[in-house]
Amino acid sequence: MTVEDLICLFKDQIEVCIPHIQEIRWISHFRKTKFAVLPPTSIMIFTDFAALMCLRAFEAKNSSVDAHAICATFVVMYNRRFVTLKKKIGECETVFQHELFNVDVHHFFAETLEKGKKNDHAMHNTCLKAIIPHYQQILRDLHNVELNHVIICTDNCPNQYRCRQTFLPIAAAALHFPGITIEHILAVKDNFKG
């Protein structure tokens, strides 16, 4: 393969990649913008399903059978604030503001009968309905504010977040929590998954 052939292949690949990179950069910019203006009355939730776990029976001689478990992960950001820091380089001291968030990670595990859509969507929706009141209480008790906006960021996987079992309950979550608006951000679809 000559250098000219390699450059032609590279140009062809760039034409395929550039639209994806632009979309990914736009979503990245959008998230940074959301971080930059996240008010004290808002939380941002990043959530995804983990891979289905196959739980193997430890003893094959008794009546133990294999089981399956699912895991849903929720990462919650809230309480945006700034702290003043000092940085000293040689004789020069610089004072600057640094942005901080509280970040909590929740892993929920549940039993499922077998692989496929058996329990994962119901469990995810139940967990979401438990997370929001939890943070309503945290913001009320620790920060003396009322939660009024929830931003939920998910991937764009058609079998997880674009299907009726999950997309509709997320879209309708505000019905369960009067006074709270729900914003759902789907990731850019790239390669095989969102």
Side-chain angles (χ1 to χ4, degrees):
M1 177 180 284
T2 66
V3 172
E4 190 174 306
D5 293 339
L6 187 62
I7 290 172
C8 288
L9 286 172
F10 180 70
K11 285 182 179 178
D12 291 342
Q13 189 62 37
I14 288 289
E15 289 178 16
V16 172
C17 292
I18 284 177
H20 293 295
I21 291 169
Q22 289 173 337
E23 289 176 358
I24 289 167
R25 287 198 177 142
W26 169 249
I27 290 292
S28 176
H29 169 73
F30 185 72
R31 284 189 180 144
K32 285 178 186 173
T33 303
K34 289 290 181 188
F35 288 157
V37 296
L38 192 68
T41 57
S42 297
I43 63 172
M44 192 168 212
I45 301 172
F46 297 88
T47 182
D48 197 7
F49 293 101
L52 185 75
M53 294 177 283
C54 295
L55 308 173
R56 305 299 301 182
F58 184 70
E59 285 289 332
K61 293 181 181 178
N62 61 19
S63 61
S64 297
V65 293
D66 293 344
H68 298 89
I70 53 174
C71 176
T73 301
F74 290 79
V75 178
V76 183
M77 295 180 63
Y78 64 101
N79 191 24
R80 178 176 168 258
R81 62 203 181 278
F82 292 91
V83 294
T84 303
L85 300 174
K86 294 179 182 179
K87 183 176 184 179
K88 188 172 184 179
I89 301 174
E91 296 294 320
C92 185
E93 188 174 278
T94 307
V95 177
F96 62 96
Q97 294 285 317
H98 187 72
E99 187 177 30
L100 294 177
F101 295 89
N102 286 25
V103 179
D104 298 336
V105 180
H106 303 274
H107 299 286
F108 295 95
F109 293 90
E111 181 182 15
T112 187
L113 300 175
E114 59 187 51
K115 290 185 176 184
K117 292 183 182 182
K118 301 298 179 202
N119 190 31
D120 47 356
H121 297 87
M123 191 267 292
H124 183 274
N125 297 331
T126 302
C127 294
L128 182 61
K129 287 181 186 174
I131 287 270
I132 293 173
H134 177 71
Y135 283 94
Q136 278 181 307
Q137 195 66 43
I138 286 176
L139 291 181
R140 189 178 299 124
D141 293 347
L142 300 179
H143 306 290
N144 203 26
V145 295
E146 289 295 324
L147 178 64
N148 64 15
H149 188 69
V150 176
I151 303 165
I152 302 171
C153 301
T154 64
D155 67 20
N156 203 357
C157 181
N159 294 330
Q160 291 178 346
Y161 294 103
R162 287 190 319 177
C163 66
R164 71 178 186 278
Q165 293 93 341
T166 308
F167 186 81
L168 292 176
I170 290 175
L175 298 174
H176 300 284
F177 306 103
I180 296 179
T181 57
I182 307 288
E183 184 177 348
H184 186 191
I185 300 172
L186 292 166
V188 174
K189 190 168 176 68
D190 188 26
N191 292 330
F192 70 97
K193 189 176 174 180

